Amino acid sequence: MIEIADVSLVDWSRAQFALTAMYHWIFVPLTLGITFIIAFMETLYVKTGKEEWKKITKFWMTLFGINFAIGVATGIILEFEFGTNWSNYSWFVGDIFGAPLAIEGILAFFMESTFIAIMFFGWNKVSKKTHLLATWLTAIGANLSALWILVANGWMQKPVGMIFNPETARNEMNNFWEVLFSQTAVDKWLHATSSGFVLASVFVIGISAWYLLKKREIMLAKKSILVAAVFGLISSVYLVMTGDNSTRTIANDQNMKFAALEGLYNGSEGAGLVAIGVFTESETDPQNENLKDFSMKLEIPNFLSYMAFLDWNAFVPGINDLINGNEKYGYMPATEKIERGKVAIQKLGEFKNAKKAGNGQLANALKTELTSAGFQEDYFKYFGYGYFDDPQDLVPNVPLTFYSFHVMVLLGFFFILLFVLSLFYIVKGTFDKKRWFMRLAIIAIPLAYIAGQAGWIVAEVGRQPWVVQDLMPTMAAVTRISAGSVQTTFWLFAVLFTVLLIAELKIMFRQIKIGPKH
């Protein structure tokens, strides 16, 4: 049986993984999006035969290469941390979680690495069409790599396609396709990749705007803005669509996270959407169990109900409904889930003890009970709740989740406006005359990174305290090592990643300042 780790170890293990993941996501979204922008640009070169498009393609390819190299380094460390810091998690769900990671390594990563070599070093060594094919396959490979990682993450948010084996105390995959095509996994992949497309488009427009401000590389800048604005506008509209669908999936499968990202404590029919809100002082105090509210909010009536369930008058549960239960709408009290989870843990412990004592008859009877459909549905479904005593521990950090979600959404609509104006000004021929807008385009680059980080805060902080939704809490997933060793490696990684980021920025800025080769 898995024992609960001390709070300090859990906190430092979470901090280390969050640090690595957030640094990794600085590099990933640009790779996902700029590879397709490069592929579109090279397609124009092959179609038109104009050397200017080759020059433009090679310039953005150089910036992509700088970003890609650092991203790989952080990604490798991230995967190793599953074994070093989260061994209980790896044991409990490794048979499922390991499969998409293995496919990512064998298929997508090698595919990406193979064709990226041709993309960078194959100019004038292979035909134009072969080189173009390699560029497109690099872009596809990068996004396939993201697919398998996000399938694994999606399974953690909504575990499907598996069965629990009491003999090994492990979850084992019994339906690969259900894991792959889970609605949560599909939503996460589409939303995460389209956010990468948006970020890359903002990146290209911002750097091109800098060239126009400096009155350099005018042709490269204007053509790049045209491609990026079209790609970015299409991607940003699609991003809103995937985000809307993802939010609806969360409302159905992770209703505590949904309540947190909307700051909803008391559910209601025809619930309004808080477009902008500021919490009261008591809201940020986790010990305050009184009625929570906003000190200021701008609310759209009934819109939350429609967003969640496509019904303007649907009941949307709040945090209090999920903790205390709501019999009218079928929401079980958290105390009942905790009791059922403790029964599941107790039965598994009895089975292990019976096996250890050599009582085969009792062990077989308990195994039959543990694997029965009724027990799985009524008790094992709440296995992770058995590690808790206080229902309030099931509530994530509401203010952080709420503010992160709203920052992400507001920035998303800002990017749509940015792309619309960029396309309008570049087609009209007045982009280089709008100095205020060129400066805004440059400022938008770090805002795109902030939006991406905010999205992952919503996804991961919002689902706490779970590492696997309802089945395994974070506090039960960590490796039993000293908190001091995790703390030491946290600071080592913080220094290492910061040095890598500074090095990448210096190289990137220097290359942008040099400009394309003539």
Side-chain angles (χ1 to χ4, degrees):
M1 296 301 297
I2 298 170
E3 297 178 357
I4 300 299
D6 68 86
V7 174
S8 178
L9 174 60
V10 174
D11 288 345
W12 279 108
S13 296
R14 285 183 62 194
Q16 186 189 82
F17 195 85
L19 173 80
T20 311
M22 292 179 81
Y23 265 96
H24 184 54
W25 194 251
I26 292 173
F27 309 105
V28 172
L30 182 59
T31 294
L32 298 178
I34 204 168
T35 47
F36 275 114
I37 292 176
I38 291 168
F40 288 131
M41 290 174 170
E42 188 174 348
T43 301
L44 290 170
Y45 162 61
V46 173
K47 285 287 186 182
T48 64
K50 293 180 179 179
E51 287 297 314
E52 60 192 36
W53 279 113
K54 181 178 180 181
K55 173 184 169 183
I56 294 169
T57 301
K58 293 181 79 171
F59 171 71
W60 294 111
M61 194 178 289
T62 301
L63 300 187
F64 155 66
I66 296 167
N67 179 80
F68 179 78
I70 307 296
V72 170
T74 54
I76 291 172
I77 293 174
L78 194 62
E79 293 197 7
F80 274 118
E81 286 183 9
F82 286 116
T84 58
N85 292 64
W86 303 94
S87 59
N88 284 333
Y89 164 80
S90 298
W91 171 263
F92 192 60
V93 300
D95 289 346
I96 304 165
F97 190 79
L101 292 188
I103 296 171
E104 185 268 337
I106 294 170
L107 175 63
F109 186 75
F110 284 116
M111 173 183 173
E112 188 179 356
S113 299
T114 299
F115 291 106
I116 203 172
I118 300 173
M119 188 177 85
F120 275 101
F121 306 112
W123 294 104
N124 304 320
K125 293 182 176 65
V126 297
S127 68
K128 287 182 179 180
K129 290 184 177 180
T130 300
H131 191 277
L132 177 62
L133 178 63
T135 302
W136 275 104
L137 288 174
T138 299
I140 294 168
N143 284 268
L144 278 180
S145 181
L147 167 66
W148 298 108
I149 295 294
L150 292 166
V151 163
N153 184 272
W155 184 87
M156 294 163 67
Q157 312 268 350
K158 173 66 175 177
V160 294
M162 55 81 176
I163 189 169
F164 181 70
N165 184 349
E167 293 279 358
T168 59
R170 294 168 67 110
N171 289 280
E172 299 173 353
M173 185 186 300
N174 66 353
N175 191 329
F176 173 79
W177 301 111
E178 191 175 355
V179 173
L180 176 59
F181 293 112
S182 134
Q183 189 61 53
T184 302
V186 171
D187 287 343
K188 290 190 75 66
W189 181 59
L190 294 177
H191 193 60
T193 52
S194 55
S195 73
F197 300 164
V198 168
L199 181 142
S201 302
V202 172
F203 178 84
V204 171
I205 291 173
I207 292 173
S208 300
W210 182 82
Y211 279 125
L212 292 178
L213 274 174
K214 296 294 182 180
K215 301 187 185 304
R216 292 180 51 194
E217 309 297 341
I218 305 301
M219 179 273 297
L220 176 145
K222 289 185 175 181
K223 288 184 178 294
S224 296
I225 289 171
L226 180 61
V227 172
V230 173
F231 183 62
L233 182 58
I234 295 170
S235 299
S236 59
V237 172
Y238 186 63
L239 179 66
V240 172
M241 294 169 59
T242 58
D244 176 64
N245 200 59
S246 180
T247 304
R248 199 150 34 251
T249 301
I250 292 170
N252 284 277
D253 298 335
Q254 294 176 289
N255 38 33
M256 180 64 80
K257 179 196 284 189
F258 187 79
L261 63 86
E262 287 299 335
L264 184 67
Y265 274 84
N266 297 289
S268 65
E269 295 180 348
L273 173 69
V274 179
I276 300 174
V278 177
F279 287 121
T280 60
E281 287 295 321
S282 63
E283 177 65 34
T284 60
D285 178 8
Q287 302 304 317
N288 191 314
E289 297 182 7
N290 297 324
L291 180 66
K292 312 297 195 301
D293 205 349
F294 294 89
S295 59
M296 184 280 290
K297 66 179 178 179
L298 175 63
E299 185 174 272
I300 305 173
N302 296 79
F303 197 75
L304 186 61
S305 290
Y306 184 79
M307 186 173 74
F309 302 111
L310 297 179
D311 180 350
W312 295 102
N313 296 306
F315 177 80
V316 181
I319 291 170
N320 291 332
D321 298 286
L322 300 171
I323 293 297
N324 302 322
N326 188 313
E327 187 176 351
K328 178 180 177 181
Y329 294 100
Y331 292 100
M332 184 186 296
T335 51
E336 175 66 20
K337 293 179 180 179
I338 289 171
E339 288 304 314
R340 293 189 181 207
K342 290 185 183 300
V343 169
I345 292 174
Q346 179 187 341
K347 287 291 182 182
L348 180 60
E350 291 174 0
F351 169 72
K352 301 299 266 185
N353 291 334
K355 278 195 68 178
K356 189 176 181 180
N359 190 337
Q361 185 176 359
L362 178 59
N364 288 335
L366 287 166
K367 182 179 179 180
T368 300
E369 182 180 3
L370 283 166
T371 55
S372 67
F375 188 88
Q376 293 280 317
E377 179 63 26
D378 294 336
Y379 295 97
F380 182 74
K381 181 179 178 180
Y382 308 103
F383 186 87
Y385 287 89
Y387 290 98
F388 296 94
D389 294 312
D390 184 358
Q392 291 298 321
D393 291 338
L394 301 170
V395 182
N397 187 318
V398 178
L400 181 57
T401 307
F402 174 86
Y403 289 130
S404 298
F405 177 72
H406 286 74
V407 165
M408 176 188 69
V409 171
L410 288 172
L411 285 175
F413 284 106
F414 165 73
F415 298 138
I416 292 178
L417 179 61
L418 179 76
F419 295 136
V420 169
L421 291 177
S422 295
L423 191 57
F424 175 76
Y425 290 144
I426 204 69
V427 170
K428 196 176 178 183
T430 58
F431 194 103
D432 53 347
K433 296 178 178 63
K434 306 288 184 181
R435 296 186 67 84
W436 67 270
F437 187 73
M438 289 186 281
R439 292 191 181 96
L440 181 65
I442 296 170
I443 295 170
I445 296 176
L447 294 180
Y449 284 94
I450 290 172
Q453 297 290 344
W456 277 108
I457 289 172
V458 172
E460 301 307 305
V461 173
R463 71 181 166 104
Q464 289 303 312
W466 303 109
V467 66
V468 180
Q469 185 71 37
D470 296 342
L471 296 182
M472 189 177 215
T474 309
M475 60 185 174
V478 297
T479 305
R480 297 306 180 266
I481 53 180
S482 71
S485 63
V486 181
Q487 187 175 358
T488 301
T489 51
F490 171 87
W491 291 115
L492 286 173
F493 286 158
V495 172
L496 173 62
F497 295 153
T498 302
V499 169
L500 286 174
L501 178 60
I502 293 171
E504 192 219 20
L505 290 174
K506 288 187 71 174
I507 297 168
M508 189 82 80
F509 290 155
R510 183 182 302 150
Q511 190 61 49
I512 292 168
K513 190 174 181 180
I514 293 170
K517 293 180 180 179
H518 293 277

